Amino acid sequence: MKTIANKKRYVFGLFLLVMAIGCKREFLEPKPLSIYIPDETFRSAEALWAAVVACERNLRLEYVGDAAPLITELIFSEVAVEGTTDKPGPAQDLNLAITPDAQLNHTDYTKVGWYFREGYRAIRYANTAIKYIDVPEDYASEEERNHLLGAAYFHRALRYYRLVHQFGDIPVTLTVAEGPKLDFYSTKREVILQRMKQDLEFAQEWVPDNVNKGQVTKGAVSHLLTKVNLALGLFDDAIQSANNVINGSIYRLMTDRFGAEQSDPDRNVVWDLHRPENKSLSGNREALMLVIDRINIDGNHDGGIQLMRNALPFWGSAGIITPNGNRGMSDQPTVANPQVLQYGRGIGRLRPTWYSQQAVWDDENDLRHAPGNWMTMEDLVYNDPGLIGKDSYYGKPLQFRNAQGTVLSNDTIRQWFQWPHYKLFIEDPQRVQPAGGHTDWYVFRLAETYLLRAEAYVWKGDLANAAADINAVRVRANAAPIAASAVNIGTVLDERARELYYEEPRKTELTRISYIFAQTGIAAYNGKSYSLANFSDDNFLYDRVMEKGNFYNKNVATNFGVTYRMSPYHVLWPIPVDAINANTLGVINQNKGYSGYENNVPPLEEIIEEE
């Protein structure tokens, strides 16, 4: 009681002190420690470059941490699904999980909302550099000023390119608001893309290639411009912008061994290309755009890329047993049991489909699917120390079934699948159980530029040139060339799946291709034609996932009882409801298939320049 009484006297005394101070007029007068005045803050070029650095840091966030946002892109495609099976929240039944008012930015759910929020945050950073571009008086030259402006244009265009293929028609802003803005209206996707094309053409002229790793390069600008040109149906323009990268003297596909392990006879160029220490080497001429992620860099507090945790099977689970019925696996590292150090510890969050594991591979000599680069569950051995001297299967390869045909895993969704070891293995010296540490990561590389140009040739009906570009990528991987007669958009997508797994934003690219089919009326390889008039009801993305996947189309259910489901309207994600509700003086349209669509108004057909 004495303690409570003392606390009461303390609180009362504090109240009297505050009241006494409050009686003095000067207490109410603000005394800011600093004043943010943009025209003063951005008086130097260095200060404006800091806004571009903020864009670079924002770009890195898509790839790092547990449940990295890129996973959300992959699970809305035919290459993978959400593999977490011990809770009801993850995005598996997309009809239930993906709604405007759902939890859209959480490790245990999805990162749909993250893309909306962080996309506009990066746009704000870029707009800051663009708006105040002529404030600094210390540019070394006009070239430096235009280089900075071009880099900011690139970052803004990249975020708008992604947003319009994730969310469709969206609000657009090209400046930094002086105060709260509550009167946004959605603008047509193609109108936004047309403006981004204009900006990127400026950037292509002024951004150089000889920049620090992690900064925007001319090659990256032309690569993104190729994607925008494709999205607009400008296929000749797409070929030209791709030519600017492929036919120049700066970039080339890496076909010879290079880097830290180039003398290791058990490895190959595909392995070299994806080693963390090789991505930013000056001799790596395939990298167009990178995000930089190193141990002990300021701001890198999210635990690194965690590729192995996110994208490897939960092989250390007690659910994998030996044919004799004993627990077979351990993820505890010891000298006698180094398996977890050799491959990493996964939790099966990203679960590849049969398509990306098996169906897409068409050449047994393909280095990307070869032993040593590619892992199967049978490459692992039963390693639980409790088996020593008690179970003859200790140290022997895993088996899927015993002699009686019983499956030896109690959760094959999460525990049993294959993976590209050459790409996902990242050493992790900061963890006892490696989850995948810090590494630079490709945003754009030249192999994709070849496949983008191949796609442009397919749209034009030039299958010979399309095959030549696809084969440039295939031959580097030691796969046999394909014939021109076999090429279609599906062929391009297959090669993208082989080459760019866990690199490309697969949903974005499938939606872009779906729009092209709908815009042009060109029949797809499945014989169907599509239309913008019913885009959310009938589109190529949904048909592709239903054709190639083996979850959403098979009524597969998790151990928790959740059934994988998807609908055609998932070609576009829902605009988060809080963004719509906060916009009290305007109308941000909702996409068809989601609650709120009935309140839509016609989207703007021009961008209104703001002061």
Side-chain angles (χ1 to χ4, degrees), residues 477-508:
N478 201 39
I482 59 171
S485 60
V487 172
N488 56 42
I489 290 298
T491 318
V492 176
L493 284 170
D494 289 346
E495 199 61 42
R496 290 184 69 95
R498 287 185 281 263
E499 183 70 20
L500 300 172
Y501 183 76
Y502 214 103
E503 289 183 67
E504 65 167 330
R506 186 76 174 186
K507 184 269 177 203
T508 289

Side-chain angles (χ1 to χ4, degrees), residues 1 55 67 88 91 111 125 139 274 290 296 359 401 421 423 461 493 496 525 532 544:
M1 295 296 294
C55 293
K111 295 296 178 69
Y125 297 150
Y139 289 122
H274 293 280
L290 294 155
N296 298 325
R401 288 186 172 90
H421 177 59
K423 185 175 290 190
L493 284 170
R496 290 184 69 95
Y525 62 82
L532 290 175
R544 173 83 179 178

Side-chain angles (χ1 to χ4, degrees), residues 320-535:
I320 297 178
I321 61 175
T322 71
N324 292 329
N326 297 311
R327 172 170 180 159
M329 308 303 289
S330 170
D331 57 12
Q332 299 301 313
T334 66
V335 173
N337 180 16
Q339 193 156 255
V340 71
L341 300 178
Q342 294 169 332
Y343 305 112
R345 179 185 185 274
I347 64 169
R349 191 184 296 283
L350 183 72
R351 209 284 186 188
T353 60
W354 176 259
Y355 164 75
S356 57
Q357 293 179 79
Q358 294 281 0
V360 77
W361 300 102
D362 59 1
D363 190 322
E364 62 181 9
N365 296 314
D366 194 322
L367 294 176
R368 297 166 297 189
H369 201 244
N373 279 347
W374 186 269
M375 287 291 296
T376 71
M377 295 301 293
E378 292 80 5
D379 293 324
L380 300 177
V381 299
Y382 294 109
N383 71 337
D384 192 288
L387 299 174
I388 299 175
K390 299 178 182 179
D391 192 315
S392 61
Y393 283 93
Y394 178 76
K396 293 183 178 179
L398 270 58
Q399 297 182 23
F400 186 61
R401 288 186 172 90
N402 62 16
Q404 291 74 40
T406 302
V407 174
L408 300 176
S409 165
N410 66 2
D411 187 351
T412 57
I413 292 175
R414 194 176 189 188
Q415 298 167 1
W416 201 278
F417 55 83
Q418 305 174 13
W419 71 95
H421 177 59
Y422 71 93
K423 185 175 290 190
L424 301 182
F425 179 71
I426 305 296
E427 290 187 354
D428 194 351
Q430 295 181 309
R431 294 184 181 89
V432 174
Q433 295 171 312
H438 293 276
T439 178
D440 302 342
W441 198 250
Y442 296 116
V443 178
F444 296 151
R445 59 186 175 91
L446 189 62
E448 187 189 13
T449 320
Y450 273 95
L451 297 178
L452 290 171
R453 190 171 71 176
E455 183 191 330
Y457 282 130
V458 172
W459 292 117
K460 286 176 58 64
D462 185 350
L463 302 187
N465 274 319
D469 279 345
I470 295 171
N471 288 333
V473 177
R474 289 178 62 83
V475 169
R476 187 267 296 278
N478 201 39
I482 59 171
S485 60
V487 172
N488 56 42
I489 290 298
T491 318
V492 176
L493 284 170
D494 289 346
E495 199 61 42
R496 290 184 69 95
R498 287 185 281 263
E499 183 70 20
L500 300 172
Y501 183 76
Y502 214 103
E503 289 183 67
E504 65 167 330
R506 186 76 174 186
K507 184 269 177 203
T508 289
E509 300 305 308
L510 282 175
T511 298
R512 173 182 61 75
I513 290 171
S514 299
Y515 268 120
I516 297 173
F517 275 123
Q519 290 162 194
T520 62
I522 295 173
Y525 62 82
N526 60 10
K528 285 186 63 175
S529 296
Y530 300 91
S531 169
L532 290 175
N534 61 344
F535 185 69

Side-chain angles (χ1 to χ4, degrees), residues 150-206:
Y153 277 159
F154 168 87
H155 280 289
R156 185 171 72 181
L158 177 58
R159 291 344 185 278
Y160 275 126
Y161 169 80
R162 295 292 300 280
L163 286 169
V164 299
H165 293 111
Q166 292 166 334
F167 300 95
D169 298 341
I170 56 170
V172 61
T173 178
L174 301 179
T175 189
V176 180
E178 299 293 339
K181 182 174 172 59
L182 306 174
D183 60 348
F184 286 105
Y185 284 84
S186 297
T187 300
K188 293 183 71 172
R189 163 189 161 273
E190 54 268 37
V191 171
I192 298 173
L193 289 171
Q194 287 163 0
R195 176 55 186 266
M196 296 307 107
K197 173 179 169 63
Q198 174 185 327
D199 291 347
L200 287 169
E201 287 173 340
F202 175 92
Q204 186 177 237
E205 178 180 356
W206 291 102

